[in-house]
Amino acid sequence: MALDQSFVGRTYPPTEPYEVGREKIREFAEAVGDANPAYTDTEAARALGHPDVIAPPTFVFAITFKAAGQVVADPQLGLDYSRVVHGDQKFAYNRPVRAGDRLTVTSTIETIRTMAGNDILDIRGEVHDRNGEHVVTAWTKLVARAAEEA
């Protein structure tokens, strides 16, 4: 069954703050195989003009995808998560994510469309720091595969 188009534009409450730690950044950089010293060495990051180590660009996916869970779990939307695959991801940064940031995410449903029986949901996550400064916007595309015919 197609998702309800009236959900387009719906915004969910901001998440609880996520505190970005140096160790989480280091672990993530190692996991993705990125040896950029700005991710692990405070002095290297400061030499580039940052107050502390910065996170790789895709680091923020972990918190924006978790925030999108509010959308996915909305019983009124009726999304069958057992049929969902991650379709796409993109980011637009105002500044890098830094160790010590306390970030919140506000998720909004941007589009809902149906193609070949699949529901496609685009969710925009606006990430702000503790001072309300916009850090990054993340767009997540989820595809709920069509139910298989019996």
Side-chain angles (χ1 to χ4, degrees), residues 118-131:
N118 300 312
D119 287 321
I120 302 168
L121 181 68
D122 291 302
I123 303 167
R124 183 183 73 244
E126 298 290 349
V127 180
H128 293 86
D129 68 13
R130 75 182 91 211
N131 299 317

Side-chain angles (χ1 to χ4, degrees), residues 93-98 101 103 128-129 133-136:
Y93 276 86
N94 281 340
R95 68 160 175 84
V97 170
R98 304 183 283 238
D101 275 340
L103 303 175
H128 293 86
D129 68 13
E133 178 188 349
H134 180 257
V135 177
V136 58

